[in-house]
Amino acid sequence: MAQVADAPMGSGGTSGGGPSKRAPRGAACLNCRRRKMRCDGARPICGQCIRTNREIDCEYTDGPGPSPTQVLEEQIARLESRIRELEHPELVSPSVTLNPATNAAGRGQSPAGSSGTGGRSLLNQVATPDILSSAILAAPVPVLSSDPLIEPPPDLVRSLVNAFLPHSASLSFFLHGPRFMQAMQQPNVDSRRAQLSPALLNTVYLWGAHLSTSNSLRAYESIFQVRATNALSSALRESQYSVINLIQAEVLIANYFFTMSRFLEGRYHCSAAVALALSCRLHKIRSSTDHGRGRAGTHHGEQVREYNLPPPRDAVEEGERMRGFWYVYTMDKSWAVAMGSPSHFNGAAQNGTHVDTPWPLESGQYEAGGFPPDYRNALTVFNFVNGGPAPPVVGRDSQLTLRAKAATLFEKATALASEWSSSGIDRNGFYGRFVAMDGLIDRFIASLPPVDRSGSAEAALTSLVTHTLARAATIQLRSNFKNYDRMNDGKDFLAAQAAAMAIESAAVTSTYADPILAILWTAVCRVLIASSTTAGSSTAGAPQRDTIRAMLDRVLAAMNRFRDTSPLMGLQRAEVRREVGG
């Protein structure tokens, strides 16, 4: 991945005006290791980090205590242990209490070194982006308390919410919009806070600051990041706020950290959202087979809560729960592939961890009454992947349903491809599974409605993500055996071509896109680059090479459009440009 402008590895960096010395092997700080820079190993902050103004990222793993990164990794491990307990309650006893990271704010992370290897990560080593632009840094720092319980001035709140709302669909906002706004417009702060938790409010304000076109508003971004993480930390230990509010806040801040190319923090909050969704049994809504209730336990005297949600008040509230679950599911599946880690939703059907919650409806359908009172469902994802009986039709698939199915195929295709090896595998059996998965992906793509640009820009962008995920599934399925003729059929190039064409069909006008598109478009570009190289090996291939370059330019132009609001998009675009040689 292209790096932020620093001295190249091996050049003579300086610290304090003098020449720097290379630290002994294994003695470099974590930041220099991630960025592949020469490190002098100076303590407490190395010369390279001082020279590049990255003192906050300089840390060592061999000190008397764990580094902040190690602390966050340990917390992720505890969260994932908690998720395993929720998936297999019959095998283990409760052991951990959810408690988010509070010391990791301000640190950019790469996925390297993450625990768990669900497959090869789609991310290379990436540079830590600058959090704020120079224009923002030059603006006067606003005075605002870091206490998330102290409400900002009303005019500021109004401006931040107005900056957030146009992009809410791309941010995986699943709460009912009119009810959210009704609560936001409560004139009394206490009345508003009774319905919307400080964690949710501050993550909305954080996104509003980030997406605002006003430098004076964007100057609040770092403050609201601290407020949001502090609010989430305390909210997990308290019970007076809606857990659905809390899941929404975790989803929003996970998307924020992924957008900022801060993968370890993004993964942490994504895992927290998964743990909360499972603890609420959101994967068992309207299940025809599950009658379980949550349970509670203790660990070293601490209460370990599982949330026994009361029945929803109405169809709209049930819709929030269903859509919230599927947004969490889709985020987990997509970023598991991006980071090369296992999905938390891969339980086998027979152990009780399968998903029974029906595929979600559109928000308007819940307003109209939602599912019939006696509607029940089972094995939702299992039946989709394995060709089981389809659930009763409640209308055409919603946009979120299509996206969840595409994310399922993306992750399943990647997992299947990772099983391939040149020896020790039943090739005929593997080929049978390959053909079945390839056929499932093809049928799904054929069923997708075209990218619709006649409606809202957000709807077109959501459709674009779904189409790109599905095409990326075809690419990932072929990612590990390009040299095996039986499966080297060129469909990865056709999928990349279709993904590039979908960008033109969407005619995107938004200034922000889901960060997973940065990963998907990078995978698309790499297939196009490889195809261009192959076409360029002969004179007859020159016209095709020019066509491929035009498609590549189209994808890079789309990435360029979103780089101002997504540092990850900018970094991935720079990496592709480096790989293509310009």
Side-chain angles (χ1 to χ4, degrees), residues 249-330:
E250 292 286 8
V251 168
L252 287 174
I253 203 163
N255 260 328
Y256 174 80
F257 284 125
F258 286 136
T259 295
M260 302 306 291
S261 192
R262 295 165 61 172
F263 303 106
L264 197 55
E265 291 152 294
R267 181 180 169 210
Y268 175 85
H269 289 285
C270 180
S271 296
V274 171
L276 287 166
L278 290 174
S279 73
C280 295
R281 306 187 69 77
L282 295 187
H283 60 308
K284 297 293 184 182
I285 299 174
R286 288 186 177 261
S287 171
S288 61
T289 61
D290 180 74
H291 305 287
R293 298 289 292 174
R295 57 187 173 81
T298 59
H299 174 60
H300 298 308
E302 286 188 282
Q303 181 76 14
V304 181
R305 279 193 301 126
E306 291 191 18
Y307 297 86
N308 289 323
L309 293 179
R313 293 173 298 170
D314 54 24
V316 169
E317 188 170 282
E318 182 179 59
E320 288 183 327
R321 297 178 184 184
M322 287 185 175
R323 290 175 64 81
F325 169 76
W326 286 110
Y327 270 118
V328 171
Y329 172 94
T330 300

Side-chain angles (χ1 to χ4, degrees), residues 181-471:
M181 286 307 300
Q182 184 180 26
M184 283 298 309
Q185 291 166 356
Q186 291 285 338
N188 183 277
V189 173
D190 292 334
S191 298
R192 179 163 66 244
R193 193 174 294 158
Q195 300 176 61
L196 304 173
S197 71
L200 174 60
L201 290 171
N202 281 282
T203 50
V204 168
Y205 301 157
L206 169 63
W207 270 114
H210 179 74
L211 295 171
S212 174
T213 57
S214 164
N215 284 346
S216 61
L217 288 181
R218 294 188 68 186
Y220 286 96
E221 184 174 347
S222 59
I223 298 175
F224 280 115
Q225 181 197 309
V226 173
R227 287 169 59 106
T229 51
N230 286 345
L232 280 165
S233 177
S234 60
L236 284 169
R237 297 190 296 268
E238 299 169 357
S239 59
Q240 68 266 39
Y241 297 115
S242 163
V243 68
I244 303 302
N245 266 211
L246 185 52
I247 293 172
Q248 178 68 90
E250 292 286 8
V251 168
L252 287 174
I253 203 163
N255 260 328
Y256 174 80
F257 284 125
F258 286 136
T259 295
M260 302 306 291
S261 192
R262 295 165 61 172
F263 303 106
L264 197 55
E265 291 152 294
R267 181 180 169 210
Y268 175 85
H269 289 285
C270 180
S271 296
V274 171
L276 287 166
L278 290 174
S279 73
C280 295
R281 306 187 69 77
L282 295 187
H283 60 308
K284 297 293 184 182
I285 299 174
R286 288 186 177 261
S287 171
S288 61
T289 61
D290 180 74
H291 305 287
R293 298 289 292 174
R295 57 187 173 81
T298 59
H299 174 60
H300 298 308
E302 286 188 282
Q303 181 76 14
V304 181
R305 279 193 301 126
E306 291 191 18
Y307 297 86
N308 289 323
L309 293 179
R313 293 173 298 170
D314 54 24
V316 169
E317 188 170 282
E318 182 179 59
E320 288 183 327
R321 297 178 184 184
M322 287 185 175
R323 290 175 64 81
F325 169 76
W326 286 110
Y327 270 118
V328 171
Y329 172 94
T330 300
M331 175 183 284
D332 173 82
K333 288 287 181 181
S334 302
W335 285 97
V337 176
M339 300 184 68
S341 58
S343 166
H344 295 303
F345 292 104
N346 280 343
Q350 61 268 26
N351 68 15
T353 64
H354 52 280
V355 175
D356 289 343
T357 300
W359 296 114
L361 307 177
E362 298 289 2
S363 295
Q365 291 176 278
Y366 291 108
E367 293 173 354
F371 288 96
D374 59 348
Y375 186 94
R376 295 294 180 269
N377 192 65
L379 299 173
T380 308
V381 176
F382 182 87
N383 286 335
F384 167 65
V385 173
N386 295 283
V393 178
V394 190
R396 68 177 186 179
D397 283 348
S398 66
Q399 284 198 328
L400 180 53
T401 293
L402 294 174
R403 180 165 175 182
K405 289 180 176 180
T408 299
L409 295 175
F410 180 53
E411 189 269 336
K412 293 293 185 185
T414 304
L416 179 59
S418 70
E419 296 176 12
W420 174 262
S421 62
S422 57
S423 61
I425 187 172
D426 176 4
R427 294 196 174 191
N428 287 331
F430 180 88
Y431 184 66
R433 298 196 302 278
F434 172 93
V435 170
M437 178 58 66
D438 197 37
L440 179 60
I441 295 170
D442 285 347
R443 290 191 297 275
F444 175 75
I445 291 175
S447 73
L448 285 175
V451 177
D452 183 10
R453 54 182 173 180
S454 62
S456 69
E458 286 297 288
L461 198 51
T462 299
S463 180
L464 177 62
V465 174
T466 299
H467 277 260
T468 310
L469 272 169
R471 303 296 183 178

Side-chain angles (χ1 to χ4, degrees), residues 129-137 210 218-219 221-222 256 260:
D130 293 326
I131 301 303
L132 300 175
S133 69
S134 57
I136 305 296
L137 293 173
H210 179 74
R218 294 188 68 186
E221 184 174 347
S222 59
Y256 174 80
M260 302 306 291

Side-chain angles (χ1 to χ4, degrees), residues 3 7 13 67 103 147 178 201 209 217-218 273 315 330 347 358 445 523 545 578:
Q3 309 292 328
S67 70
N103 298 324
D147 184 349
L201 290 171
L217 288 181
R218 294 188 68 186
T330 300
I445 291 175
R545 188 174 65 249
R578 184 191 66 78

